[in-house]
Amino acid sequence: MAQHLLLIPRVKIHNANALSSSYTIGFPAMTAWMGAVHFLERQLANTDFSDIRFSAMAVSCHSIDLQTYKESGGYVNSIIGTGNPLDKSGNRPSFIEEARCHLEASLVIECENFGFTDREEFTALIDQLVKGKWKLAGGDILSARASLLFEVHSKETFIPLRNRLMPGHCLVERRDLMIEAMKEGKDALDALLESQLLHSECEKTEEGIVTWHKQKRKQPGWIVPISTGYQGLSDLGVAQHQRDQSTPHRFAENIVTLGEFKMPFRFQSWDEMRWEYHTDLQKDLYLCQQASAQNN
């Protein structure tokens, strides 16, 4: 069965939220990307395309400029803040440091209930929404190329789409590394930190020459901590002064696991790179995850 995939290529984003997880900054979290796709779907509600559902997505990052500063020869990175307007007394107002980034990325969105939809009219509406109403990870859209539709039903039909995501890096979930480490008796946080450690050893010869040797990471690849959803802390209920009186609310905490950046040419099918929503109400989990990870 053919999959209808919408490509929104080369979106340039200014001042996106660069929180990758609770502990790291860099590439925006998958919760932000999937939230933006969900918003785009909601904009179709009062149009001729209201039956279309965006069931999954993937993102390829072509370039990123993280707004940090490090002195020459230094080791500490500092967040570059914004120059907010002065207050009435002429002083700088107080502010909370927020990690920001400028980036260029392409998004692929899986469309369900596509049917006999007018392709040109649909892509024209998407382009209008992207440039007029869309924000990505809190960042402003500076520009985007015209969106395209692909029908994918085999590796041969997937390759043209994959090629348009190059050069870039796609984020995939690697919770399997966390599960493997925890089976060995490690704490979840220890398993997360161990994946990022770089060990160095030195040797000193009789002549007094010191040589440093760096050990490779335990797991090859570009492994990073990522945020993939939330876990409920309280029961569903009504909160005082909540905006939406018809939707139950609850307190929740961020879920962090491991992810890996891979170049698009390493994927052989759409299913290997797609992200989708998954809810486990028995465990109070609200997740953004890949289909291959649901069995773990």
Side-chain angles (χ1 to χ4, degrees):
M1 183 178 179
Q3 295 167 311
H4 294 89
L5 303 180
L6 171 68
L7 171 65
I8 307 177
R10 298 288 179 170
V11 183
K12 292 185 178 180
I13 310 159
H14 181 74
N15 276 346
N17 189 317
L19 282 174
S20 302
S21 69
S22 307
Y23 314 110
T24 55
I25 64 172
F27 187 70
M30 285 307 302
T31 49
W33 295 101
M34 294 195 67
V37 171
H38 180 65
F39 171 83
L40 197 62
E41 178 191 299
R42 289 173 63 92
Q43 298 304 303
L44 303 178
N46 297 321
T47 69
D48 295 335
F49 310 104
S50 58
D51 292 336
I52 295 179
R53 295 291 177 266
F54 295 159
S55 56
M57 62 85 64
V59 58
S60 175
C61 181
H62 303 293
S63 64
I64 185 169
D65 179 13
L66 186 62
Q67 298 298 287
T68 58
Y69 171 77
K70 182 172 68 173
E71 293 184 357
S72 177
Y75 294 94
V76 179
N77 287 283
S78 301
I79 294 175
I80 299 176
T82 56
N84 299 321
L86 302 179
D87 58 22
K88 294 181 180 179
S89 60
N91 299 318
R92 290 284 183 189
S94 59
F95 67 96
I96 299 175
E97 287 189 345
E98 181 182 12
R100 301 172 296 112
C101 64
H102 312 320
L103 70 159
E104 183 177 0
S106 294
L107 288 86
V108 184
I109 304 172
E110 183 175 332
C111 304
E112 290 186 353
N113 305 328
F114 199 77
F116 298 98
T117 301
D118 187 314
R119 289 170 171 264
E120 293 185 1
E121 186 178 347
F122 177 67
T123 53
L125 175 61
I126 293 297
D127 292 339
Q128 178 183 351
L129 293 173
V130 166
K131 297 176 182 178
K133 292 188 176 182
W134 215 25
K135 290 178 76 73
L136 270 165
D140 299 316
I141 307 298
L142 299 181
S143 65
R145 295 182 185 177
S147 56
L148 301 167
L149 277 168
F150 293 81
E151 284 191 19
V152 174
H153 51 78
S154 64
K155 180 180 178 181
E156 288 71 24
T157 54
F158 171 68
I159 290 176
L161 169 63
R162 185 184 68 181
N163 291 344
R164 288 183 176 269
L165 302 179
M166 291 288 293
H169 289 85
C170 298
L171 185 61
V172 297
E173 189 176 5
R174 292 303 307 272
R175 77 163 72 171
D176 56 297
L177 299 179
M178 294 283 290
I179 294 173
E180 181 180 345
M182 293 175 69
K183 285 181 179 178
E184 297 174 357
K186 294 184 176 66
D187 177 79
L189 185 57
D190 290 336
L192 189 78
L193 294 174
E194 187 180 76
S195 69
Q196 305 300 302
L197 291 178
L198 287 173
H199 296 278
S200 299
E201 296 179 353
C202 67
E203 293 181 357
K204 187 175 182 180
T205 63
E206 295 179 355
E207 293 78 13
I209 300 175
V210 177
T211 305
W212 284 90
H213 303 281
K214 292 184 178 180
Q215 298 181 0
K216 294 183 178 180
R217 288 184 177 180
K218 182 178 180 181
Q219 178 66 35
W222 190 354
I223 308 296
V224 294
I226 59 172
S227 173
T228 57
Y230 306 92
Q231 182 171 31
L233 296 176
S234 62
D235 295 331
L236 287 170
V238 178
Q240 188 176 13
H241 305 306
Q242 67 185 45
R243 289 185 179 181
D244 185 355
Q245 298 295 329
S246 62
T247 303
H249 284 57
R250 77 188 322 168
F251 288 101
E253 63 179 349
N254 192 30
I255 293 177
V256 180
T257 186
L258 291 175
E260 180 179 2
F261 285 105
K262 290 185 176 182
M263 298 194 76
F265 73 85
R266 296 186 178 275
F267 299 98
Q268 303 303 313
S269 69
W270 163 243
D271 290 334
E272 293 179 13
M273 61 194 309
R274 67 194 295 271
W275 287 79
E276 60 188 12
Y277 283 121
H278 176 71
T279 304
D280 187 343
L281 295 180
Q282 292 184 346
K283 297 180 180 179
D284 300 329
L285 295 175
Y286 305 87
L287 302 175
C288 304
Q289 67 178 31
Q290 296 191 298
S292 59
Q294 291 188 17
N295 297 325
N296 293 329

